[in-house]
Amino acid sequence: MAESDLKTDKRQLRREAMARRANARAKTGPLAGYLVATQFLENISISEAAVIAGYWPINDEITPVPLMKRLHQDGYSVALPAVV
């Protein structure tokens, strides 16, 4: 695959992902982050020594903040990236 094809494909995938996020957010609104947290906690087991990395949402990204708060309350180490 040529580099220009790869760049075009990446751009298209990003547009599709943004459209899916916008659609999901439109359907669930502020509830989306809580739904993600519930699904995660019901289906993913975590080592007690784990450090969970999160992100601060921008634009149409679903917020992981409810999940990060719950994990922190449950005694897990939760981290956000630092931008310098």
Side-chain angles (χ1 to χ4, degrees), residues 12-25:
Q12 180 61 31
L13 288 170
R14 282 191 182 112
R15 281 193 292 268
E16 290 173 13
M18 287 174 63
R20 287 179 182 171
R21 284 195 305 263
N23 186 40
R25 184 171 178 159

Side-chain angles (χ1 to χ4, degrees), residues 2-60:
E3 186 175 335
S4 63
D5 292 340
L6 183 59
K7 287 181 181 181
T8 300
D9 289 348
K10 281 179 73 173
R11 261 188 246 116
Q12 180 61 31
L13 288 170
R14 282 191 182 112
R15 281 193 292 268
E16 290 173 13
M18 287 174 63
R20 287 179 182 171
R21 284 195 305 263
N23 186 40
R25 184 171 178 159
K27 286 181 179 179
T28 59
L31 184 61
Y34 294 96
L35 294 172
V36 167
T38 299
Q39 288 295 310
F40 183 94
L41 294 168
E42 289 177 356
N43 294 289
I44 305 295
S45 59
I46 308 169
S47 163
E48 290 182 17
V51 176
I52 295 94
Y55 64 91
W56 200 257
I58 57 173
N59 300 324
D60 287 326

